[in-house]
């Protein structure tokens, strides 16, 4: 019977990823290692066929990525690009699953054992249930989180410090003298718990400790979210002097809507976002910077280590947010 990828890797003294890479991306492996691996594979009758490998050894050479929201969103596209830049050269494909509810998430974890189509599962931005974690532990499939709310249940995770980011935003707004402020969030339309909730909770806690009572507005998903938020702002008894947005995806279009309506940013209203995404610098949006591509690349390397049976010394890594000061909160620079 032909050998498995585990057996080839063990005899060659290399990782499973290196065996896979020797076949799928030989240009990324040293000549000496490649020659050794291919020679041992030939002697042992090993084939890199994905279907054959999965049946013989349970190794599919695929990583499942669970995402919510659109694939083309700034965060998700950066995550996919970052993961692919590391996993593809290592010989792994990415299978993307769009999860919109806890029910869909449960179905994924319930059917994973029969599909056997993932060597690891990466979850971006939302939570997982304890029972689902146990299911993966039983299957010996590593679970990795990227900006996930329940980061402590993963074999490894990378995330931005949402609480610190929210605190940076609060301190900056207050330092400018603002006490009349609004926090704008997206509509939590499904049953998943997202990391941005921690961002909001931390901001509101800072306000409470400073005896400030901000209004919380929710951007509905029907129609234009920015137009909807602007309508809600105009319906208030008094226009706030500062608007803090859960993400740049709300702040950037809102600034355009404000300009059309005659609201001057920042003379009339200061606006701050979160992400430092595309167009934030061009429009002059003060925001809290995070780097999803860097986080995804780090998550991918942790994933490969876990697949190869290596346990990271620091499995829960935190990326520090950075306040990016621009004209949307600075009257002198407007």
């Amino acid at each position: 019977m032909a050998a498995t990828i585990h057996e080839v890797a063990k005899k060659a003294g290399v990782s499973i990823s290196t065996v896979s890479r020797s076949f799928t991306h030989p240009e990324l492996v040293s000549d000496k290692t490649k020659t050794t691996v291919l020679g041992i594979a030939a002697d042992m009758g090993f084939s890199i066929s994905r279907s054959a490998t999965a049946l013989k050894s349970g190794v599919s050479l695929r990583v499942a990525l669970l995402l919510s929201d659109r694939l083309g969103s700034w965060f998700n596209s950066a995550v996919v690009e970052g993961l692919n830049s590391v996993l593809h050269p290592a010989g792994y494909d990415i299978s993307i699953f769009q999860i919109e509810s806890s029910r869909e998430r449960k179905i994924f974890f319930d059917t994973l054992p029969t599909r056997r189509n993932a060597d690891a599962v990466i979850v971006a931005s939302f939570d997982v249930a304890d029972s689902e974690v146990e299911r993966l532990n039983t299957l010996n499939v590593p679970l990795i989180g990227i900006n996930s709310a329940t980061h402590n249940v993963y074999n490894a995770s990378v995330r931005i410090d949402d609480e610190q980011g929210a605190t940076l935003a609060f301190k900056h707004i207050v330092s400018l003298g603002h006490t009349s402020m609004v926090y704008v969030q997206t509509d939590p339309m499904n049953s998943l718990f997202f990391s941005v909730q921690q961002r909001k909770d931390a901001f509101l806690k800072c306000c409470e400790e400073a005896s400030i009572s901000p209004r919380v507005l929710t951007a509905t998903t029907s129609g234009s979210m920015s137009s909807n938020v602007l309508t809600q702002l105009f319906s208030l008894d008094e226009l706030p002097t500062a608007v803090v947005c859960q993400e740049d995806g709300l702040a950037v279009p809102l600034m355009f809507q404000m300009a059309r309506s005659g609201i001057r940013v920042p003379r009339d209203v200061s606006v701050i976002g979160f992400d430092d995404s595309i167009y934030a610098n061009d429009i002059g949006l003060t925001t809290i910077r995070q780097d999803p591509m860097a986080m995804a690349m780090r998550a991918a390397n942790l994933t490969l280590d876990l697949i190869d049976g290596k346990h990271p010394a620091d499995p829960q890594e935190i990326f520090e947010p950075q306040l990016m000061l621009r004209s949307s909160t600075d009257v002198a620079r407007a």
Side-chain angles (χ1 to χ4, degrees):
M1 182 179 291
T4 68
I5 193 171
H6 290 289
E7 292 168 336
V8 173
K10 183 177 181 180
K11 187 167 184 180
V14 297
S15 67
I16 295 172
S17 301
T18 300
V19 175
S20 173
R21 197 182 297 120
S22 297
F23 282 89
T24 58
H25 294 281
E27 73 279 3
L28 300 176
V29 182
S30 69
D31 290 338
K32 181 180 178 180
T33 300
K34 178 174 58 180
T35 300
T36 300
V37 170
L38 295 181
I40 290 174
D43 291 342
M44 300 179 73
F46 171 75
S47 170
I48 198 61
S49 164
R50 292 184 184 273
S51 58
T53 299
L55 289 172
K56 292 173 184 175
S57 64
V59 175
S60 66
L61 300 178
R62 292 188 181 92
V63 171
L65 172 62
L66 275 57
L67 295 171
S68 188
D69 200 5
R70 297 174 297 105
L71 292 180
S73 70
W74 171 78
F75 184 88
N76 282 347
S77 60
V79 165
V80 172
E81 185 176 352
L83 291 174
N84 194 59
S85 69
V86 174
L87 295 176
H88 182 65
Y92 284 83
D93 291 333
I94 301 173
S95 294
I96 298 175
F97 297 83
Q98 288 183 275
I99 306 296
E100 297 299 334
S101 67
S102 58
R103 179 178 177 276
E104 290 183 5
R105 187 193 62 202
K106 182 178 185 300
I107 290 173
F108 169 84
F109 285 101
D110 285 346
T111 57
L112 183 61
T114 57
R115 292 198 307 262
R116 298 176 63 188
N117 65 342
D119 299 327
V121 175
I122 300 174
V123 179
S125 292
F126 56 88
D127 66 342
V128 291
D130 291 343
S131 59
E132 294 157 354
V133 175
E134 289 301 319
R135 175 65 62 89
L136 290 189
N137 288 339
T138 301
L139 296 173
N140 198 29
V141 174
L143 180 63
I144 299 91
I146 300 177
N147 255 20
S148 294
T150 49
H151 50 85
N152 58 321
V153 304
Y154 295 89
N155 297 109
S157 71
V158 294
R159 64 184 179 94
I160 190 173
D161 190 333
D162 276 304
E163 292 86 353
Q164 182 183 353
T167 301
L168 287 173
F170 173 80
K171 288 183 175 180
H172 175 60
I173 289 297
V174 170
S175 73
L176 299 175
H178 294 288
T179 56
S180 173
M181 57 186 72
V182 160
Y183 187 91
V184 182
Q185 65 177 353
T186 54
D187 187 5
M189 59 183 175
N190 58 43
S191 53
L192 300 173
F193 183 80
F194 291 88
S195 62
V196 290
Q197 180 66 38
Q198 298 171 325
R199 195 177 300 172
K200 170 191 169 184
D201 291 345
F203 183 83
L204 295 182
K205 182 180 179 181
C206 288
C207 290
E208 182 181 2
E209 291 174 349
S211 299
I212 296 174
S213 301
R215 295 288 296 271
V216 177
L217 304 182
T218 300
T220 61
T221 55
S222 58
S224 169
M225 288 195 295
S226 57
S227 295
N228 173 263
V229 171
L230 190 63
T231 299
Q232 292 184 62
L233 285 173
F234 280 134
S235 69
L236 298 176
D237 295 336
E238 185 177 359
L239 198 66
T241 62
V243 174
V244 180
C245 293
Q246 169 187 290
E247 57 196 54
D248 291 355
L250 290 169
V252 171
L254 181 59
M255 286 177 63
F256 281 110
Q257 291 285 358
M258 286 179 167
R260 291 196 194 100
S261 301
I263 299 175
R264 299 168 299 176
V265 176
R267 290 190 181 278
D268 299 324
V269 179
S270 288
V271 179
I272 185 168
F274 201 114
D275 281 338
D276 198 24
S277 62
I278 188 170
Y279 304 129
N281 184 54
D282 295 328
I283 198 174
L285 174 65
T286 292
T287 187
I288 304 299
R289 186 175 193 273
Q290 66 170 328
D291 190 344
M293 184 175 295
M295 287 193 290
M297 292 175 69
R298 181 58 189 143
N301 281 303
L302 289 168
T303 299
L304 294 177
D305 286 344
L306 288 166
I307 289 174
D308 289 334
K310 302 174 184 175
H311 298 286
D314 184 10
Q316 316 297 335
E317 297 190 19
I318 300 176
F319 283 61
E320 297 297 320
Q322 181 182 2
L323 175 64
M324 308 299 293
L325 292 174
R326 300 190 180 109
S327 60
S328 70
T329 58
D330 187 349
V331 176
R333 296 166 58 189

